[in-house]
Amino acid sequence: MSLRDDVAACFTDRYGEPPRFLVRAPGRVNLIGEHTDYNDGFVLPMAIDRDTWIALRPRDDGAVRLYSMLHEEEAALALADLRHGEGWPEYPAGVAWALQEAGNALAGWEGVTGCDVPLGAGLSSSAAFELAVARSFAAVSDLAWDAPAIARLCQRAENRWVGVNCGIMDQMISAVGRAGRAVLIDCRSLECEAVPLPPGTAVVVLDTATRRGLVDSAYNERRAQCEEAARAFGVPALRDVSPAAFTERSAALAPTTRRRARHIVFENERTLEAAAAMRAGDAQRLGALMDASHASLRDDFEVSSRELDLMVDAAQRIEGCLGARMTGAGFGGCAVALVEADAAESFSRRVAADYAAAAGRELSIHICRAAGGAELVRPEPARSRP
Ligand code: GLA
């Protein structure tokens, strides 16, 4: 049975009837454009075929009750009196808070959620959960589904309610993902362009099986360093610094700030170039840009880790691998490789063996398809609005 069927069956068991609504929202992998989102820059992620699902029906008492199959417990919220709690229920509470704060009148609901996005791996299980919750509220409350606006509110939930200072990439791609495409997102205007994966390639996600507690503080430190660099250049964000301006004027910056800024300025360029390579179907060029992105994240932005470097190094040496890099915030989690589709299986076997030998750890591998963004799966949207 698929996860979708499991979630629907669990709902039917608990409530004695099939769910009125079924929604899903995907996790993501970022092909290139790392740490650029909070610099108002460009990112090029794709939504992946791993999702959070919610099966639900409306309630008329302003309450939300959500059973998590993963945590085997139920969370209860009162929409008129949202309070902070702990753990996973903070996400639905935060999304309810952000939607209401923006002036949306929310109805209550009850349901079941399940998720096959690996947790804490840097594949945006939190954004998938937030978007699935938002999609559920939209279904029962009859809200218009404006994907970028909802993504912004979910980011706000994470920043202000959950307390994680993330950028907009993860929520955006979970909202606007397109089957078979990556999406070039301008994180300032939220303009999006779907770009096809080069023909004959596959995207392989390589989970180093390492998780670092350090991520939050280091992430905030990088943000502060980028803001400091933008101030030094006299611009609102590093997005506004061209490579030429950087080369001309960066000598005045302190060495660390300069390296952080260099990563962002050139990563933005690489991301735009990667989108152009994808439009042209140039897999070699895309792969080379991914390799360059990793080197910059490792040496200038310093957010890689020993295991990520070993993994990327192992991947890049294998025939059929066009490019590889760490993906997401860094310090652990996943790398992403672009490989020739015919070689995907043999690549996966080799990289698993080589990484195990080098790092002394097992990895998990996901060969991912690019998937669509958050959606109401049942009933279909057209039929839900008479
Ligand atoms: C995390 C954040 C994103 C982005 C990436 C790094 O995934 O949630 O907003 O900043 O790190 O690119």
Side-chain angles (χ1 to χ4, degrees):
M1 266 207 323
S2 66
L3 180 60
R4 167 191 174 145
D5 295 341
D6 283 348
V7 171
C10 179
F11 180 99
T12 307
D13 272 359
R14 290 177 73 86
Y15 298 104
E17 63 172 11
R20 168 100 166 74
F21 299 107
L22 191 60
V23 307
R24 58 162 274 277
R28 64 102 185 91
V29 63
N30 189 18
L31 297 183
I32 194 163
E34 215 64 85
H35 289 271
T36 43
D37 62 349
Y38 54 81
N39 290 289
D40 276 5
F42 298 94
V43 293
L44 190 44
M46 67 182 218
I48 56 175
D49 49 346
R50 304 284 191 285
D51 297 286
T52 292
W53 287 89
I54 302 180
L56 68 147
R57 69 180 182 187
R59 280 176 74 109
D60 56 14
D61 61 355
V64 174
R65 300 186 76 92
L66 180 58
Y67 176 78
S68 162
M69 294 173 70
L70 208 62
H71 299 92
E72 298 183 340
E73 61 182 22
E74 189 177 78
L77 316 173
L79 291 172
D81 183 23
L82 292 169
R83 287 161 191 250
H84 279 285
E86 275 193 5
W88 69 272
E90 282 294 84
Y91 292 99
V95 171
W97 169 80
L99 288 170
Q100 292 192 137
E101 200 208 27
N104 296 295
L106 298 186
W109 49 275
E110 59 198 359
V112 170
T113 185
C115 174
D116 62 5
V117 186
L119 299 189
L123 299 177
S124 290
S125 55
S126 328
F129 191 27
E130 289 156 6
L131 265 296
V133 168
R135 198 69 199 80
S136 301
F137 275 118
V140 297
S141 317
D142 213 15
L143 305 181
W145 185 256
D146 172 348
I150 299 274
R152 276 254 191 258
L153 291 176
C154 288
Q155 180 200 14
R156 191 167 166 74
E158 181 133 1
N159 293 167
R160 299 291 176 86
W161 186 276
V162 182
V164 176
N165 204 14
C166 62
I168 188 66
M169 168 169 70
D170 306 345
Q171 289 78 12
M172 265 302 279
I173 188 61
S174 185
V176 306
R178 281 272 304 278
R181 302 276 190 276
V183 183
L184 176 68
I185 303 171
D186 178 334
C187 296
R188 176 169 276 166
S189 66
L190 297 193
E191 237 171 81
C192 295
E193 181 197 343
V195 281
L197 291 168
T201 60
V203 171
V204 183
V205 173
L206 308 163
D207 187 341
T208 59
T210 56
R211 309 283 183 260
R212 292 283 149 78
L214 200 77
V215 181
D216 278 358
S217 57
Y219 187 87
N220 290 339
E221 187 191 60
R222 296 301 182 282
R223 284 190 77 135
Q225 290 166 333
C226 290
E227 283 158 19
E228 188 191 323
R231 271 195 303 277
F233 280 103
V235 292
L238 285 178
R239 143 76 173 271
D240 301 303
V241 179
S242 67
F246 177 86
T247 308
E248 227 171 81
R249 296 179 46 207
S250 66
L253 298 181
T256 304
T257 317
R258 182 169 185 277
R259 283 187 293 119
R260 302 296 188 253
R262 182 164 60 192
H263 167 72
I264 301 299
V265 170
F266 289 91
E267 183 79 350
N268 274 327
E269 287 299 297
R270 280 188 289 272
T271 304
L272 291 172
E273 221 195 298
M278 288 173 80
R279 281 180 219 112
D282 188 343
Q284 296 287 346
R285 183 71 195 135
L286 176 60
L289 290 161
M290 291 170 71
D291 290 346
S293 169
H294 184 77
S296 174
L297 286 157
R298 180 190 62 210
D299 302 336
D300 276 351
F301 216 62
E302 294 180 286
V303 291
S304 189
S305 67
R306 174 181 167 266
E307 289 82 3
L308 281 166
D309 290 343
L310 288 172
M311 178 76 86
V312 166
D313 193 55
Q316 287 171 345
R317 286 168 194 276
I318 298 171
E319 215 185 300
C321 178
L322 298 153
R325 56 183 287 277
M326 56 152 276
T327 184
F331 300 103
C334 291
V336 59
L338 182 74
V339 303
E340 286 164 7
D342 295 345
E345 295 292 339
S346 61
F347 167 83
S348 301
R349 277 195 301 277
R350 266 286 300 282
V351 78
D354 293 357
Y355 176 71
R361 287 171 184 275
E362 297 294 312
L363 83 175
S364 352
I365 294 182
H366 314 278
I367 301 178
C368 289
R369 277 189 304 108
E375 63 176 338
L376 181 61
V377 174
R378 190 163 88 209
E380 284 171 21
R383 278 187 284 131
S384 70
R385 280 162 209 241

